[in-house]
Amino acid sequence: MSSKGATMTREKFLAEYRAAICAAYAWTADAEKLGRFMASVETTLKGPRTTWVFASECATAAWRAIGGKGKPTLKALRALPSEP
């Protein structure tokens, strides 16, 4: 799933990130674990608590897939707009 050329949004990032971690880690086959993990990601993106470590290869791949440059920062991830 790639959203290059489209507006960068939190939902697009989350979809790309979920796809990246599912492709990289076998533990994501456990729907309950994956759900808790993604809830932690969303909590971090909504701020101000940080419950997820965003500096990872999967997060960087998702960031670039939605059109981001370089590595994502927490400030940039939190600034992503939500889709209407």
Side-chain angles (χ1 to χ4, degrees), residues 4-77:
K4 287 187 179 180
T7 303
M8 294 170 53
T9 66
R10 181 174 294 166
E11 292 78 10
K12 288 177 183 170
F13 173 79
L14 290 170
E16 290 288 347
Y17 182 67
R18 182 184 196 103
I21 64 170
C22 286
Y25 301 106
W27 65 263
T28 59
D30 182 326
E32 190 174 316
K33 282 184 183 180
L34 179 58
R36 283 193 310 266
F37 181 78
M38 291 305 296
S40 177
V41 173
E42 291 187 53
T43 296
T44 298
L45 294 183
K46 291 176 183 175
R49 292 181 48 217
T50 303
T51 60
W52 163 67
V53 178
F54 64 93
S56 70
E57 289 180 25
C58 290
T60 299
W63 176 249
R64 290 181 182 162
I66 66 166
K69 304 293 182 214
K71 293 184 179 184
T73 64
L74 189 54
K75 182 177 180 177
L77 289 170

